[in-house]
Every structure is written in C-alpha cells, then in structure tokens.
Amino acid sequence: MRGALVGPALALSWLTVLPVRGPHRVDRAAAARAIASAPLVGLLLGLLVGGTLWLSIAASLSAILAGFLAVGALALATRGMHVDGLADTADGLGCYGPPERAREVMKSGGAGPFGVAAIVVVFALQATGFGALADRHAWWSVVLAAVVGRVCVVLACRRGFDAAPESGFGALVAGTQPSYTVAIWGVVALGLSIFAVDDRWWQGPLVVAAALAFTEAAVRHCSRRFGGINGDVLGAVVEVTTALAVVGLLIGG
C-alpha cells in the first residue's frame, strides 16, 4: 500500500465498518497517519448522518425520530466503539480509588451507572440536536459536528499526552500528533465552520474553539485520573464533542 494511502485506509478500517484493508503491519508511524486522517472519516460519517436525516424528513418522519435514526446509523457505521469508550470512561471517572482502580473499572466489560447515564444523556443530545438541525435544513452543521468530533481526537493524541499503562490502542496512538497537525486541522475546522450558521458567521468558529478547549481540559483530567489516555478516552472525546458541537450550533436559532 502506498504511503499516502496508509493513513486514510487504516483510519477507515479502524473507525468504520467499511471493508477497507489497512497495512499488514501497524506501527506508531502508521497509527499517526491514521489519526491524522480521522477528520476525513468524520466528513464521510457526517454525510451519512446528513443523508439519513434527509431521507427521514423526506419520508415525513418527525425530526426527533429522524435524529434517533441518524444516531443509530452512526453507531452502526462505527461499530459502536465510541459508545463503549464513553461508557467505560464515565465509569472510570465515577469510581473511587487510584488510577489503577479506575483502569480496572474501565476494563470490567460492563456498563455501570455512570456509563449508562452518560450514554443516555449524550445520545439524547445528539439525536434531538441532529433532528433539530435537520428541521432547520442546516445540513452543513450536521456534517460539521461529525468532523469536529474527529478533529478533537487529533488534539487528544497530540504530543504531551502519554498512554495509560497496559493500554493497547492508547499506546499505539497517544502522543503521535505533532503540533502542526493539530493546528492544521484546527484551522480547517474553524474555516469550515464559518458557513455553519446562517447570519452568524462567528457562531461556528466559536463552537469549534469551545469543543477544542473542552477536549484539552478533559483529556488533561483523564490523563491525570487514569495515568494516561487509552482508546476509551478517545471514544468518549468523539461522542461528547460531537454532542457539544450539535448543541452549540443550535443556540440562538
């Protein structure tokens, strides 16, 4: 596989159910390219969400039902891996004890009360929010929210955030993104967001900046709480920042 295609192919194989084959050998260099390509996957998933919403509205379904169908389609397209990460991260943050205990709770395999609550709240925000955006025909805002969630993953994997002990995926991707990659995607997201909200060009960039600031603070806290980051933290970042972007883009409409 040619070098230029390694990142996007591996990102698609990791982050979607598409039958795309990545490289035979995955090292940190290949993982770094995949994470750097995550916003491109976000664009594809955003188009999926937008298409699901459009078809649902065209079929005269209610906006809220359309939103839940879109969130369901997104979960299916990503194998639900981010949902699992959200639940595990919430349970880890909600438990008492040292980082070792928190990581043990995260690896337990089941969803505890904090995890269930996190899934319900975040999914409700995404579903009702996507439905409301579709009701306004704010299709670019729908796509942008999915992209923002993956741009925030690039930030979460920046150099300076180390992997938690015994974290397979985290050890592969944590700290792989140089500052310029984070900056490039941040600028791209800010530029694209200018067109997200009619008559208020500044609202989209403000939402993107808030999502990035939240990611920085949240990943710092998780890194202290868990002794580093892992794949669960990255999944939680995707789900929460997507929900925050959706809510932010709806404010004042």
Side-chain angles (χ1 to χ4, degrees), residues 79-156:
R79 302 188 189 93
M81 65 177 72
H82 306 319
V83 182
D84 180 68
L86 172 63
D88 289 343
T89 301
D91 285 333
L93 291 173
C95 77
Y96 293 101
E100 294 79 9
R101 171 58 181 160
R103 294 196 300 269
E104 181 181 342
V105 169
M106 296 172 74
K107 293 179 181 178
S108 64
F114 287 101
V116 172
I119 290 175
V120 170
V121 171
V122 171
F123 265 34
L125 289 174
Q126 288 185 10
T128 56
F130 278 136
L133 288 173
D135 201 37
R136 299 180 186 180
H137 301 285
W139 305 115
W140 184 238
S141 291
V142 170
V143 176
L144 178 67
V147 173
V148 168
R150 279 71 189 174
V151 171
C152 288
V153 165
V154 178
L155 173 58

Side-chain angles (χ1 to χ4, degrees), residues 28-230:
R28 277 180 62 83
R33 294 177 184 177
I35 293 298
S37 301
L40 297 177
V41 178
L43 177 61
L44 181 64
L45 294 172
L47 293 173
L48 169 66
V49 173
T52 303
L53 290 167
W54 186 87
L55 289 173
S56 300
I57 296 298
S60 299
L61 298 180
S62 67
I64 189 169
L65 179 55
F68 274 101
L69 289 174
V71 170
L74 187 58
L76 288 174
T78 58
R79 302 188 189 93
M81 65 177 72
H82 306 319
V83 182
D84 180 68
L86 172 63
D88 289 343
T89 301
D91 285 333
L93 291 173
C95 77
Y96 293 101
E100 294 79 9
R101 171 58 181 160
R103 294 196 300 269
E104 181 181 342
V105 169
M106 296 172 74
K107 293 179 181 178
S108 64
F114 287 101
V116 172
I119 290 175
V120 170
V121 171
V122 171
F123 265 34
L125 289 174
Q126 288 185 10
T128 56
F130 278 136
L133 288 173
D135 201 37
R136 299 180 186 180
H137 301 285
W139 305 115
W140 184 238
S141 291
V142 170
V143 176
L144 178 67
V147 173
V148 168
R150 279 71 189 174
V151 171
C152 288
V153 165
V154 178
L155 173 58
C157 291
R158 72 166 176 79
R159 291 173 183 170
F161 289 139
D162 297 323
E166 303 175 0
S167 59
F169 186 74
L172 195 60
V173 301
T176 58
Q177 301 304 302
S179 299
Y180 66 82
T181 302
V182 177
I184 288 172
W185 277 121
V187 170
V188 169
L190 288 169
L192 295 176
S193 67
I194 292 174
F195 310 101
V197 182
D198 291 339
D199 301 324
R200 294 193 300 279
W201 67 266
W202 47 266
Q203 185 167 341
L206 187 61
V207 169
V208 171
L212 292 171
F214 170 83
T215 299
E216 177 73 19
V219 175
R220 281 182 180 274
H221 177 68
C222 288
S223 185
R224 289 193 299 268
R225 185 68 185 88
F226 305 141
I229 68 169
N230 54 27

